[in-house]
Amino acid sequence: MVRIQKTPDPPQVLVLPSDAAASIKVAEIFDQAVRENPEIVLGLATGGTPVGCYRELVRRHREEGLSFASVTSFNLDEYVGLPPDHPQSFRHFMQTKLFDHLDIESARTHVPNGMASDLASHAAAYEQAIRQVGGIELQLLGIGHNGHIAFNEPGASFDSRTRVVDLTETTIESNARFFDRPDEVPRTAITMGIGTILEAKRIVLLATGKDKSEAVRLSIEGAVHTDHPASLLRTHPDVTFVLDAPAASGLSG
């Protein structure tokens, strides 16, 4: 465990009455950011949590003229060994849940390639691509039950960069519900590092459901240390936690 001593002011915490309301709030934040800067660089997440947010962004694109034509995006992670068209790959997820329904240019959407022949070189190139566009301006995160952000599991270093990681048994078990058989679940992934994430100018973490309440509590009120990666977000000057009431139920006050 590495305890981090210095932290800025506490993060902003927004508590909404339901998961739908929390998802709409995050979509509202992204909507405003894109309208203010049509060439914004977004960091995006996968998993069950952001689906409602993406659905709302698609609605705003179709019904309210929200354009992503000049937006660039970078996703947090991808399973190693899954081709982009695999139903459980994160590239496939992003295409079906968001990209295919927007006017965003395919060349502007970046997801790590879990089939790269040289994963270490690919990870370094992914970092370079982020730097070349001036960094991520607005990063969306979820949170794992063990406090992981992206696939940075407990113990990941504070200054870690995009790399290949082994997934914990807890994460593998959690992801098994998306696969037909437990032995199909990938055991490694390529992920942005904590250091990469913390370089985003602004970070929004969305968490919903009672099962995330303890992870949320430790992130906001617990010690800041690498055993709970999401707690490291409190070293960032512009972080917003958007929670539904069940996810916020463990917080004091």
Side-chain angles (χ1 to χ4, degrees), residues 58-74:
V58 170
R59 186 197 68 76
R60 289 170 183 242
H61 166 65
R62 290 175 172 172
E63 299 178 12
E64 300 178 9
L66 177 61
S67 176
F68 290 78
S70 299
V71 168
T72 299
S73 70
F74 287 87

Side-chain angles (χ1 to χ4, degrees), residues 37 39-42 72 74 126-138 196 199-202:
N37 178 11
E39 297 182 351
I40 193 170
V41 179
L42 300 177
T72 299
F74 287 87
Y126 202 75
E127 287 275 332
Q128 179 62 22
I130 294 172
R131 288 193 293 270
Q132 285 178 338
V133 296
I136 292 169
E137 296 178 53
L138 177 57
T196 313
E199 286 178 355
K201 295 179 179 67
R202 184 182 181 192

Side-chain angles (χ1 to χ4, degrees):
M1 178 183 78
V2 177
R3 187 181 296 271
I4 309 300
Q5 298 295 332
K6 184 178 180 181
T7 60
D9 294 334
Q12 182 179 25
V13 179
L14 304 179
V15 180
L16 285 299
S18 67
D19 58 351
S23 295
I24 290 172
K25 171 54 70 174
V26 172
E28 179 183 301
I29 292 170
F30 274 72
D31 180 318
Q32 181 179 4
V34 171
R35 292 184 195 273
E36 290 178 353
N37 178 11
E39 297 182 351
I40 193 170
V41 179
L42 300 177
L44 300 176
T46 55
T49 301
V51 169
C53 170
Y54 292 159
R55 187 184 303 117
E56 176 65 10
L57 288 175
V58 170
R59 186 197 68 76
R60 289 170 183 242
H61 166 65
R62 290 175 172 172
E63 299 178 12
E64 300 178 9
L66 177 61
S67 176
F68 290 78
S70 299
V71 168
T72 299
S73 70
F74 287 87
N75 264 78
L76 289 166
D77 42 27
E78 178 61 281
Y79 289 120
V80 169
L82 294 192
D85 60 352
H86 189 285
Q88 299 307 328
S89 78
F90 292 158
R91 166 57 80 172
H92 184 268
F93 174 98
M94 292 304 302
Q95 292 298 142
T96 57
K97 301 300 184 184
L98 188 64
F99 297 151
D100 287 347
H101 311 289
L102 303 177
D103 58 346
I104 193 168
E105 295 182 17
S106 179
R108 290 180 177 270
T109 66
H110 303 273
V111 180
N113 179 10
M115 297 295 291
S117 57
D118 186 335
L119 290 168
S121 294
H122 175 65
Y126 202 75
E127 287 275 332
Q128 179 62 22
I130 294 172
R131 288 193 293 270
Q132 285 178 338
V133 296
I136 292 169
E137 296 178 53
L138 177 57
Q139 175 69 59
L140 176 62
L141 296 176
I143 184 173
H145 294 92
N146 62 1
H148 74 244
I149 49 176
F151 275 130
N152 294 287
E153 302 282 13
S157 67
F158 182 75
D159 58 355
S160 56
R161 314 304 302 190
T162 302
R163 68 206 187 284
V164 176
V165 296
D166 294 325
L167 304 182
T168 65
E169 287 302 322
T170 299
T171 298
I172 293 168
E173 290 171 7
S174 177
N175 293 340
R177 68 188 188 277
F178 299 116
F179 293 83
D180 291 334
R181 300 192 313 272
D183 61 355
E184 294 180 351
V185 185
R187 307 188 77 83
T188 56
I190 184 168
T191 184
M192 281 190 202
I194 293 173
T196 313
I197 291 168
L198 291 176
E199 286 178 355
K201 295 179 179 67
R202 184 182 181 192
I203 299 172
V204 175
L205 186 147
L206 173 62
T208 60
K210 177 71 173 177
D211 61 325
K212 296 294 181 70
S213 62
E214 180 63 6
V216 166
R217 184 189 69 80
L218 291 173
S219 300
I220 296 173
E221 299 180 347
V224 177
H225 58 67
T226 56
D227 276 0
H228 196 80
S231 71
L232 301 176
L233 297 175
R234 283 159 47 204
T235 67
H236 193 282
D238 193 350
V239 175
T240 302
F241 284 77
V242 181
L243 315 171
D244 67 0
S249 61
L251 298 176
S252 61

